[in-house]
Amino acid sequence: AAGVIQSPRHLIKEKRETATLKCYPIPRHDTVYWYQQGPGQDPQFLISFYEKMQSDKGSIPDRFSAQQFSDYHSELNMSSLELGDSALYFCASSLDPGYEQYFGPGTRLTVT
Amino acid sequence: RKEVEQDPGPFNVPEGATVAFNCTYSNSASQSFFWYRQDCRKEPKLLMSVYSSGNEDGRFTAQLNRASQYISLLIRDSKLSDSATYLCVVIPGSARQLTFGSGTQLTVLP
């Protein structure tokens, strides 16, 4: 069965650079969520989209923005990167808000 | 205090053992409950949703007690492949994003 696709899988950036993470949800899933997982921590919710509109916002820094496109894929844009942004970034999708969420393999971002 | 609290673990059990994990949540308006497993440096994978009536999937049984705001997961006949971190996950109140517990690490020993 098709799963959530994330790209790139690994990304190395320097401080103050920008990064763009991409997420392609499971076909027919219209809801996308972004989570950040720091080393030794549980995933923290950043932001979600339903039918291309932002639906919920969590602990997402102002330096980050995201959107969902007409084909339901989503991009997380991160600017002025800081060392503390180094983490695993997961995208998850669900059939509708509140349904089971399925996670992609994640993007490991390292900021040096 | 975290919204979702789990047994800290780690749990080290022999193959074939039965092991139980517990979890409590603080938001009484929470509507959806799940158990996920996460292997080292990989994505959380949905193990099972948890329903008020309790549910079973093979060797795994999940229970929900709304009055006590308590969720449990029972694993019978543990396999080596069950070794992972088990995450108790809740959708609190009217929100739709997942709130994770800190996870309980399980190691099944040969």
Side-chain angles (χ1 to χ4, degrees), chain A residues 31-92:
Chain A
T31 309
V32 168
Y33 310 79
W34 287 96
Y35 294 87
Q36 177 192 57
Q37 187 172 27
Q41 299 184 353
D42 47 274
Q44 295 294 316
F45 171 71
L46 294 178
I47 195 167
S48 63
F49 294 87
Y50 169 59
E51 282 292 344
K52 292 154 279 184
M53 300 286 291
Q54 180 184 308
S55 56
D56 289 298
K57 200 168 182 180
S59 50
I60 184 169
D62 292 340
R63 299 176 288 108
F64 295 5
S65 65
Q67 57 182 325
Q68 186 179 33
F69 294 86
S70 57
D71 64 351
Y72 295 103
H73 95 272
S74 177
E75 295 184 4
L76 178 65
N77 299 294
M78 311 161 72
S79 62
S80 302
L81 286 169
E82 301 173 356
L83 295 178
D85 296 329
S86 296
L88 263 172
Y89 290 83
F90 290 111
C91 171

Short mmCIF file of all heavy atoms in Angstrom, two decimals, chain A residues 31-92:
data_model
loop_
_atom_site.label_atom_id
_atom_site.label_comp_id
_atom_site.label_asym_id
_atom_site.label_seq_id
_atom_site.Cartn_x
_atom_site.Cartn_y
_atom_site.Cartn_z
N THR A 31 -5.71 15.47 4.76
CA THR A 31 -5.23 16.16 5.95
C THR A 31 -3.77 15.81 6.17
O THR A 31 -3.40 14.63 6.15
CB THR A 31 -6.06 15.77 7.18
OG1 THR A 31 -7.45 15.94 6.87
CG2 THR A 31 -5.70 16.64 8.37
N VAL A 32 -2.96 16.83 6.37
CA VAL A 32 -1.52 16.65 6.56
C VAL A 32 -1.09 17.33 7.86
O VAL A 32 -1.58 18.42 8.18
CB VAL A 32 -0.75 17.26 5.36
CG1 VAL A 32 0.73 17.35 5.66
CG2 VAL A 32 -0.97 16.43 4.11
N TYR A 33 -0.22 16.68 8.57
CA TYR A 33 0.29 17.19 9.84
C TYR A 33 1.82 17.19 9.79
O TYR A 33 2.42 16.29 9.22
CB TYR A 33 -0.13 16.30 11.01
CG TYR A 33 -1.59 15.95 11.06
CD1 TYR A 33 -2.12 14.96 10.25
CD2 TYR A 33 -2.46 16.60 11.95
CE1 TYR A 33 -3.47 14.63 10.29
CE2 TYR A 33 -3.81 16.27 11.99
CZ TYR A 33 -4.29 15.28 11.16
OH TYR A 33 -5.62 14.96 11.22
N TRP A 34 2.44 18.17 10.44
CA TRP A 34 3.89 18.21 10.59
C TRP A 34 4.25 18.11 12.07
O TRP A 34 3.63 18.79 12.92
CB TRP A 34 4.46 19.50 10.02
CG TRP A 34 4.47 19.58 8.53
CD1 TRP A 34 3.54 20.16 7.72
CD2 TRP A 34 5.47 19.04 7.66
NE1 TRP A 34 3.90 20.02 6.41
CE2 TRP A 34 5.08 19.35 6.35
CE3 TRP A 34 6.68 18.34 7.86
CZ2 TRP A 34 5.84 18.98 5.22
CZ3 TRP A 34 7.42 17.98 6.76
CH2 TRP A 34 7.01 18.29 5.47
N TYR A 35 5.24 17.26 12.36
CA TYR A 35 5.73 17.08 13.73
C TYR A 35 7.25 17.21 13.73
O TYR A 35 7.92 16.86 12.77
CB TYR A 35 5.37 15.69 14.26
CG TYR A 35 3.89 15.45 14.44
CD1 TYR A 35 3.10 15.00 13.39
CD2 TYR A 35 3.27 15.67 15.67
CE1 TYR A 35 1.74 14.78 13.55
CE2 TYR A 35 1.91 15.46 15.84
CZ TYR A 35 1.16 15.01 14.77
OH TYR A 35 -0.19 14.79 14.95
N GLN A 36 7.77 17.68 14.85
CA GLN A 36 9.21 17.79 15.05
C GLN A 36 9.59 16.89 16.23
O GLN A 36 8.95 16.94 17.28
CB GLN A 36 9.57 19.23 15.39
CG GLN A 36 11.04 19.47 15.68
CD GLN A 36 11.28 20.85 16.28
OE1 GLN A 36 10.70 21.21 17.31
NE2 GLN A 36 12.11 21.66 15.62
N GLN A 37 10.62 16.06 16.03
CA GLN A 37 11.09 15.21 17.12
C GLN A 37 12.57 15.44 17.36
O GLN A 37 13.42 15.07 16.54
CB GLN A 37 10.83 13.73 16.82
CG GLN A 37 11.16 12.81 18.01
CD GLN A 37 10.72 11.37 17.78
OE1 GLN A 37 10.64 10.91 16.64
NE2 GLN A 37 10.44 10.65 18.86
N GLY A 38 12.88 16.09 18.48
CA GLY A 38 14.27 16.31 18.87
C GLY A 38 14.86 15.04 19.45
O GLY A 38 14.15 14.10 19.80
N PRO A 39 16.18 15.00 19.60
CA PRO A 39 16.85 13.81 20.14
C PRO A 39 16.32 13.45 21.52
O PRO A 39 16.27 14.30 22.42
CB PRO A 39 18.32 14.24 20.21
CG PRO A 39 18.44 15.39 19.26
CD PRO A 39 17.12 16.07 19.25
N GLY A 40 15.89 12.20 21.67
CA GLY A 40 15.41 11.73 22.96
C GLY A 40 14.06 12.30 23.40
O GLY A 40 13.67 12.16 24.56
N GLN A 41 13.36 12.95 22.48
CA GLN A 41 12.07 13.56 22.83
C GLN A 41 10.94 12.91 22.05
O GLN A 41 11.16 12.19 21.08
CB GLN A 41 12.11 15.05 22.54
CG GLN A 41 13.19 15.78 23.35
CD GLN A 41 13.14 17.26 23.13
OE1 GLN A 41 12.41 17.77 22.28
NE2 GLN A 41 13.92 17.99 23.90
N ASP A 42 9.70 13.16 22.50
CA ASP A 42 8.57 12.66 21.74
C ASP A 42 8.20 13.69 20.67
O ASP A 42 8.56 14.87 20.78
CB ASP A 42 7.38 12.36 22.66
CG ASP A 42 7.09 13.47 23.65
OD1 ASP A 42 7.71 13.48 24.72
OD2 ASP A 42 6.27 14.35 23.31
N PRO A 43 7.51 13.27 19.64
CA PRO A 43 7.14 14.19 18.56
C PRO A 43 6.26 15.33 19.07
O PRO A 43 5.34 15.11 19.85
CB PRO A 43 6.39 13.30 17.57
CG PRO A 43 6.84 11.90 17.88
CD PRO A 43 7.08 11.89 19.36
N GLN A 44 6.56 16.53 18.58
CA GLN A 44 5.78 17.71 18.94
C GLN A 44 5.08 18.23 17.69
O GLN A 44 5.69 18.42 16.65
CB GLN A 44 6.70 18.81 19.51
CG GLN A 44 7.37 18.42 20.82
CD GLN A 44 6.39 18.26 21.96
OE1 GLN A 44 5.48 19.08 22.14
NE2 GLN A 44 6.55 17.19 22.73
N PHE A 45 3.79 18.51 17.83
CA PHE A 45 2.99 18.98 16.70
C PHE A 45 3.39 20.39 16.31
O PHE A 45 3.55 21.27 17.15
CB PHE A 45 1.51 18.94 17.10
CG PHE A 45 0.60 19.60 16.11
CD1 PHE A 45 0.35 19.03 14.87
CD2 PHE A 45 -0.02 20.80 16.42
CE1 PHE A 45 -0.48 19.64 13.96
CE2 PHE A 45 -0.87 21.42 15.53
CZ PHE A 45 -1.10 20.83 14.29
N LEU A 46 3.54 20.61 15.00
CA LEU A 46 3.87 21.94 14.49
C LEU A 46 2.66 22.62 13.86
O LEU A 46 2.25 23.71 14.25
CB LEU A 46 5.00 21.84 13.46
CG LEU A 46 6.37 21.40 13.96
CD1 LEU A 46 7.36 21.31 12.80
CD2 LEU A 46 6.89 22.33 15.03
N ILE A 47 2.08 21.97 12.84
CA ILE A 47 1.01 22.61 12.08
C ILE A 47 0.29 21.55 11.26
O ILE A 47 0.85 20.49 10.98
CB ILE A 47 1.59 23.71 11.18
CG1 ILE A 47 0.51 24.65 10.64
CG2 ILE A 47 2.43 23.11 10.05
CD1 ILE A 47 1.08 25.93 10.01
N SER A 48 -0.97 21.82 10.91
CA SER A 48 -1.72 20.88 10.08
C SER A 48 -2.56 21.61 9.05
O SER A 48 -2.88 22.80 9.22
CB SER A 48 -2.61 19.99 10.94
OG SER A 48 -3.59 20.76 11.62
N PHE A 49 -2.93 20.88 8.01
CA PHE A 49 -3.74 21.42 6.93
C PHE A 49 -4.84 20.43 6.59
O PHE A 49 -4.63 19.21 6.58
CB PHE A 49 -2.87 21.66 5.68
CG PHE A 49 -1.86 22.73 5.88
CD1 PHE A 49 -0.62 22.44 6.42
CD2 PHE A 49 -2.15 24.04 5.55
CE1 PHE A 49 0.31 23.44 6.63
CE2 PHE A 49 -1.22 25.05 5.75
CZ PHE A 49 0.01 24.75 6.29
N TYR A 50 -6.01 20.98 6.31
CA TYR A 50 -7.15 20.18 5.86
C TYR A 50 -7.72 20.85 4.63
O TYR A 50 -8.04 22.04 4.66
CB TYR A 50 -8.19 20.08 6.97
CG TYR A 50 -9.51 19.51 6.54
CD1 TYR A 50 -9.60 18.24 6.00
CD2 TYR A 50 -10.69 20.25 6.68
CE1 TYR A 50 -10.81 17.70 5.59
CE2 TYR A 50 -11.90 19.73 6.28
CZ TYR A 50 -11.97 18.46 5.73
OH TYR A 50 -13.17 17.95 5.33
N GLU A 51 -7.81 20.10 3.56
CA GLU A 51 -8.34 20.65 2.31
C GLU A 51 -7.65 21.96 1.93
O GLU A 51 -8.31 22.95 1.60
CB GLU A 51 -9.86 20.85 2.41
CG GLU A 51 -10.65 19.58 2.25
CD GLU A 51 -10.56 19.00 0.83
OE1 GLU A 51 -10.15 19.73 -0.11
OE2 GLU A 51 -10.88 17.82 0.64
N LYS A 52 -6.34 21.94 2.04
CA LYS A 52 -5.48 23.04 1.60
C LYS A 52 -5.55 24.29 2.48
O LYS A 52 -4.96 25.32 2.15
CB LYS A 52 -5.77 23.42 0.14
CG LYS A 52 -5.36 22.32 -0.82
CD LYS A 52 -6.14 22.35 -2.11
CE LYS A 52 -7.49 21.70 -1.95
NZ LYS A 52 -8.26 21.62 -3.21
N MET A 53 -6.28 24.21 3.60
CA MET A 53 -6.34 25.33 4.52
C MET A 53 -5.67 24.93 5.84
O MET A 53 -5.82 23.79 6.29
CB MET A 53 -7.80 25.71 4.81
CG MET A 53 -8.58 26.11 3.57
SD MET A 53 -8.13 27.75 2.99
CE MET A 53 -8.80 28.74 4.31
N GLN A 54 -4.98 25.88 6.46
CA GLN A 54 -4.39 25.59 7.75
C GLN A 54 -5.50 25.29 8.75
O GLN A 54 -6.48 26.05 8.85
CB GLN A 54 -3.57 26.79 8.24
CG GLN A 54 -2.91 26.57 9.59
CD GLN A 54 -2.18 27.80 10.07
OE1 GLN A 54 -1.36 28.37 9.36
NE2 GLN A 54 -2.49 28.22 11.29
N SER A 55 -5.38 24.19 9.48
CA SER A 55 -6.45 23.83 10.39
C SER A 55 -6.06 23.99 11.85
O SER A 55 -6.88 24.41 12.66
CB SER A 55 -6.94 22.40 10.12
OG SER A 55 -5.87 21.49 10.22
N ASP A 56 -4.86 23.63 12.21
CA ASP A 56 -4.40 23.78 13.59
C ASP A 56 -2.94 24.21 13.59
O ASP A 56 -2.20 23.91 12.67
CB ASP A 56 -4.53 22.45 14.37
CG ASP A 56 -5.97 22.10 14.67
OD1 ASP A 56 -6.63 22.86 15.38
OD2 ASP A 56 -6.43 21.06 14.15
N LYS A 57 -2.57 24.91 14.65
CA LYS A 57 -1.19 25.38 14.77
C LYS A 57 -0.68 25.02 16.15
O LYS A 57 -1.37 25.25 17.15
CB LYS A 57 -1.16 26.90 14.57
CG LYS A 57 0.18 27.47 14.20
CD LYS A 57 0.02 28.93 13.76
CE LYS A 57 1.37 29.49 13.34
NZ LYS A 57 1.25 30.90 12.90
N GLY A 58 0.51 24.44 16.17
CA GLY A 58 1.11 24.07 17.45
C GLY A 58 2.31 24.93 17.74
O GLY A 58 2.30 26.14 17.55
N SER A 59 3.38 24.29 18.17
CA SER A 59 4.57 25.03 18.58
C SER A 59 5.50 25.32 17.40
O SER A 59 6.69 25.03 17.45
CB SER A 59 5.31 24.24 19.67
OG SER A 59 5.50 22.90 19.24
N ILE A 60 4.96 25.90 16.37
CA ILE A 60 5.78 26.19 15.18
C ILE A 60 6.38 27.59 15.32
O ILE A 60 5.68 28.55 15.59
CB ILE A 60 4.93 26.07 13.89
CG1 ILE A 60 5.80 26.28 12.65
CG2 ILE A 60 3.72 27.00 13.92
CD1 ILE A 60 5.12 25.91 11.34
N PRO A 61 7.71 27.69 15.20
CA PRO A 61 8.35 29.01 15.29
C PRO A 61 7.89 29.92 14.16
O PRO A 61 7.50 29.46 13.09
CB PRO A 61 9.84 28.70 15.15
CG PRO A 61 9.98 27.23 15.38
CD PRO A 61 8.69 26.61 14.97
N ASP A 62 7.95 31.23 14.40
CA ASP A 62 7.56 32.20 13.37
C ASP A 62 8.46 32.11 12.15
O ASP A 62 8.07 32.54 11.06
CB ASP A 62 7.60 33.62 13.95
CG ASP A 62 6.52 33.84 14.99
OD1 ASP A 62 5.54 33.08 14.99
OD2 ASP A 62 6.66 34.76 15.80
N ARG A 63 9.66 31.56 12.32
CA ARG A 63 10.61 31.43 11.22
C ARG A 63 10.19 30.33 10.24
O ARG A 63 10.75 30.21 9.15
CB ARG A 63 12.01 31.09 11.76
CG ARG A 63 12.59 32.13 12.70
CD ARG A 63 13.93 31.68 13.26
NE ARG A 63 13.80 30.59 14.23
CZ ARG A 63 14.15 29.34 14.00
NH1 ARG A 63 14.65 28.97 12.83
NH2 ARG A 63 14.01 28.42 14.94
N PHE A 64 9.23 29.51 10.66
CA PHE A 64 8.76 28.42 9.82
C PHE A 64 7.41 28.78 9.22
O PHE A 64 6.58 29.44 9.87
CB PHE A 64 8.59 27.14 10.64
CG PHE A 64 9.85 26.55 11.22
CD1 PHE A 64 11.08 27.18 11.11
CD2 PHE A 64 9.80 25.34 11.87
CE1 PHE A 64 12.23 26.63 11.65
CE2 PHE A 64 10.94 24.77 12.42
CZ PHE A 64 12.15 25.42 12.31
N SER A 65 7.18 28.32 8.01
CA SER A 65 5.85 28.45 7.41
C SER A 65 5.57 27.18 6.63
O SER A 65 6.49 26.41 6.32
CB SER A 65 5.78 29.67 6.50
OG SER A 65 6.65 29.50 5.39
N ALA A 66 4.32 26.95 6.34
CA ALA A 66 3.96 25.75 5.59
C ALA A 66 2.72 26.03 4.78
O ALA A 66 1.99 26.98 5.02
CB ALA A 66 3.73 24.58 6.55
N GLN A 67 2.52 25.18 3.78
CA GLN A 67 1.29 25.27 3.01
C GLN A 67 0.98 23.91 2.41
O GLN A 67 1.84 23.03 2.34
CB GLN A 67 1.40 26.33 1.91
CG GLN A 67 2.55 26.14 0.95
CD GLN A 67 2.60 27.27 -0.08
OE1 GLN A 67 1.58 27.78 -0.51
NE2 GLN A 67 3.80 27.65 -0.48
N GLN A 68 -0.28 23.76 2.01
CA GLN A 68 -0.72 22.55 1.32
C GLN A 68 -1.20 22.96 -0.06
O GLN A 68 -1.96 23.93 -0.19
CB GLN A 68 -1.84 21.85 2.10
CG GLN A 68 -2.24 20.51 1.50
CD GLN A 68 -3.32 19.81 2.29
OE1 GLN A 68 -4.19 20.45 2.88
NE2 GLN A 68 -3.30 18.49 2.30
N PHE A 69 -0.78 22.22 -1.04
CA PHE A 69 -1.05 22.59 -2.43
C PHE A 69 -2.28 21.85 -2.97
O PHE A 69 -2.86 21.00 -2.29
CB PHE A 69 0.19 22.27 -3.28
CG PHE A 69 1.38 23.14 -2.92
CD1 PHE A 69 2.23 22.78 -1.89
CD2 PHE A 69 1.63 24.32 -3.61
CE1 PHE A 69 3.31 23.57 -1.54
CE2 PHE A 69 2.71 25.11 -3.27
CZ PHE A 69 3.54 24.74 -2.23
N SER A 70 -2.64 22.20 -4.22
CA SER A 70 -3.88 21.66 -4.80
C SER A 70 -3.84 20.13 -4.94
O SER A 70 -4.89 19.48 -4.93
CB SER A 70 -4.17 22.30 -6.15
OG SER A 70 -3.07 22.11 -7.02
N ASP A 71 -2.65 19.56 -5.05
CA ASP A 71 -2.55 18.09 -5.14
C ASP A 71 -2.39 17.46 -3.75
O ASP A 71 -2.09 16.28 -3.64
CB ASP A 71 -1.37 17.68 -6.04
CG ASP A 71 -0.02 18.12 -5.48
OD1 ASP A 71 0.02 18.88 -4.49
OD2 ASP A 71 1.01 17.70 -6.04
N TYR A 72 -2.59 18.25 -2.71
CA TYR A 72 -2.56 17.86 -1.30
C TYR A 72 -1.16 17.65 -0.73
O TYR A 72 -1.04 17.40 0.47
CB TYR A 72 -3.42 16.62 -1.02
CG TYR A 72 -4.88 16.88 -1.26
CD1 TYR A 72 -5.51 16.41 -2.40
CD2 TYR A 72 -5.62 17.63 -0.35
CE1 TYR A 72 -6.85 16.69 -2.64
CE2 TYR A 72 -6.97 17.91 -0.58
CZ TYR A 72 -7.57 17.44 -1.72
OH TYR A 72 -8.89 17.72 -1.95
N HIS A 73 -0.12 17.78 -1.56
CA HIS A 73 1.20 17.69 -0.96
C HIS A 73 1.46 18.96 -0.14
O HIS A 73 0.82 20.00 -0.35
CB HIS A 73 2.29 17.42 -2.00
CG HIS A 73 3.00 18.63 -2.53
ND1 HIS A 73 2.55 19.35 -3.63
CD2 HIS A 73 4.14 19.23 -2.12
CE1 HIS A 73 3.39 20.33 -3.86
NE2 HIS A 73 4.37 20.30 -2.97
N SER A 74 2.37 18.86 0.79
CA SER A 74 2.63 19.99 1.69
C SER A 74 4.13 20.26 1.73
O SER A 74 4.94 19.36 1.51
CB SER A 74 2.11 19.67 3.09
OG SER A 74 2.41 20.72 4.00
N GLU A 75 4.46 21.51 1.99
CA GLU A 75 5.86 21.90 2.14
C GLU A 75 6.01 22.70 3.43
O GLU A 75 5.17 23.55 3.74
CB GLU A 75 6.33 22.72 0.94
CG GLU A 75 6.34 21.90 -0.34
CD GLU A 75 6.89 22.66 -1.55
OE1 GLU A 75 7.34 23.81 -1.39
OE2 GLU A 75 6.88 22.06 -2.65
N LEU A 76 7.09 22.40 4.14
CA LEU A 76 7.45 23.13 5.36
C LEU A 76 8.69 23.95 5.04
O LEU A 76 9.72 23.39 4.66
CB LEU A 76 7.74 22.15 6.50
CG LEU A 76 8.17 22.74 7.84
CD1 LEU A 76 7.06 23.56 8.48
CD2 LEU A 76 8.60 21.62 8.81
N ASN A 77 8.57 25.25 5.12
CA ASN A 77 9.67 26.15 4.82
C ASN A 77 10.25 26.68 6.12
O ASN A 77 9.53 27.18 6.98
CB ASN A 77 9.18 27.33 3.97
CG ASN A 77 8.62 26.86 2.64
OD1 ASN A 77 9.35 26.35 1.80
ND2 ASN A 77 7.32 27.00 2.46
N MET A 78 11.57 26.55 6.23
CA MET A 78 12.25 26.91 7.47
C MET A 78 13.33 27.92 7.12
O MET A 78 14.19 27.66 6.28
CB MET A 78 12.86 25.66 8.10
CG MET A 78 11.85 24.51 8.19
SD MET A 78 12.60 22.89 8.40
CE MET A 78 13.14 23.01 10.08
N SER A 79 13.30 29.09 7.76
CA SER A 79 14.29 30.12 7.47
C SER A 79 15.10 30.45 8.72
O SER A 79 14.73 30.07 9.84
CB SER A 79 13.59 31.37 6.95
OG SER A 79 12.73 31.90 7.93
N SER A 80 16.20 31.15 8.51
CA SER A 80 17.10 31.55 9.62
C SER A 80 17.35 30.38 10.56
O SER A 80 17.15 30.47 11.78
CB SER A 80 16.50 32.73 10.39
OG SER A 80 16.26 33.82 9.55
N LEU A 81 17.78 29.27 9.98
CA LEU A 81 17.93 28.04 10.76
C LEU A 81 18.88 28.24 11.94
O LEU A 81 19.88 28.97 11.84
CB LEU A 81 18.45 26.92 9.86
CG LEU A 81 17.40 26.35 8.89
CD1 LEU A 81 18.07 25.43 7.87
CD2 LEU A 81 16.31 25.60 9.65
N GLU A 82 18.52 27.58 13.04
CA GLU A 82 19.31 27.63 14.26
C GLU A 82 19.76 26.20 14.60
O GLU A 82 19.16 25.23 14.14
CB GLU A 82 18.47 28.19 15.41
CG GLU A 82 17.96 29.59 15.15
CD GLU A 82 16.99 30.07 16.23
OE1 GLU A 82 16.67 29.27 17.15
OE2 GLU A 82 16.55 31.23 16.15
N LEU A 83 20.81 26.11 15.42
CA LEU A 83 21.31 24.79 15.81
C LEU A 83 20.20 23.95 16.43
O LEU A 83 20.11 22.74 16.20
CB LEU A 83 22.47 24.92 16.79
CG LEU A 83 23.74 25.59 16.26
CD1 LEU A 83 24.79 25.69 17.36
CD2 LEU A 83 24.30 24.82 15.08
N GLY A 84 19.33 24.58 17.20
CA GLY A 84 18.24 23.88 17.88
C GLY A 84 17.17 23.34 16.95
O GLY A 84 16.29 22.61 17.40
N ASP A 85 17.23 23.70 15.68
CA ASP A 85 16.26 23.16 14.71
C ASP A 85 16.66 21.77 14.25
O ASP A 85 15.87 21.11 13.55
CB ASP A 85 16.15 24.10 13.50
CG ASP A 85 15.59 25.46 13.87
OD1 ASP A 85 14.78 25.55 14.81
OD2 ASP A 85 15.98 26.46 13.20
N SER A 86 17.85 21.33 14.61
CA SER A 86 18.27 19.98 14.24
C SER A 86 17.34 18.96 14.88
O SER A 86 17.19 18.93 16.11
CB SER A 86 19.71 19.73 14.71
OG SER A 86 20.62 20.59 14.05
N ALA A 87 16.70 18.16 14.06
CA ALA A 87 15.68 17.23 14.56
C ALA A 87 15.21 16.36 13.41
O ALA A 87 15.59 16.58 12.25
CB ALA A 87 14.49 17.99 15.15
N LEU A 88 14.36 15.40 13.76
CA LEU A 88 13.61 14.63 12.76
C LEU A 88 12.29 15.35 12.53
O LEU A 88 11.60 15.71 13.50
CB LEU A 88 13.31 13.23 13.28
CG LEU A 88 14.22 12.08 12.88
CD1 LEU A 88 13.86 10.84 13.66
CD2 LEU A 88 14.13 11.81 11.39
N TYR A 89 11.95 15.57 11.29
CA TYR A 89 10.68 16.21 10.95
C TYR A 89 9.81 15.18 10.25
O TYR A 89 10.15 14.67 9.18
CB TYR A 89 10.90 17.44 10.08
CG TYR A 89 11.54 18.56 10.86
CD1 TYR A 89 12.92 18.60 11.04
CD2 TYR A 89 10.77 19.55 11.45
CE1 TYR A 89 13.51 19.60 11.80
CE2 TYR A 89 11.35 20.56 12.21
CZ TYR A 89 12.72 20.57 12.38
OH TYR A 89 13.30 21.57 13.13
N PHE A 90 8.68 14.88 10.89
CA PHE A 90 7.76 13.90 10.34
C PHE A 90 6.55 14.60 9.76
O PHE A 90 6.03 15.56 10.32
CB PHE A 90 7.28 12.93 11.42
CG PHE A 90 8.33 11.98 11.90
CD1 PHE A 90 8.83 12.09 13.19
CD2 PHE A 90 8.81 10.96 11.09
CE1 PHE A 90 9.79 11.21 13.66
CE2 PHE A 90 9.78 10.08 11.54
CZ PHE A 90 10.27 10.21 12.83
N CYS A 91 6.08 14.05 8.67
CA CYS A 91 4.80 14.42 8.11
C CYS A 91 3.88 13.23 8.31
O CYS A 91 4.31 12.07 8.21
CB CYS A 91 4.97 14.74 6.62
SG CYS A 91 3.43 14.96 5.74
N ALA A 92 2.63 13.49 8.64
CA ALA A 92 1.64 12.43 8.76
C ALA A 92 0.41 12.84 7.95
O ALA A 92 0.17 14.03 7.73
CB ALA A 92 1.25 12.20 10.21
#
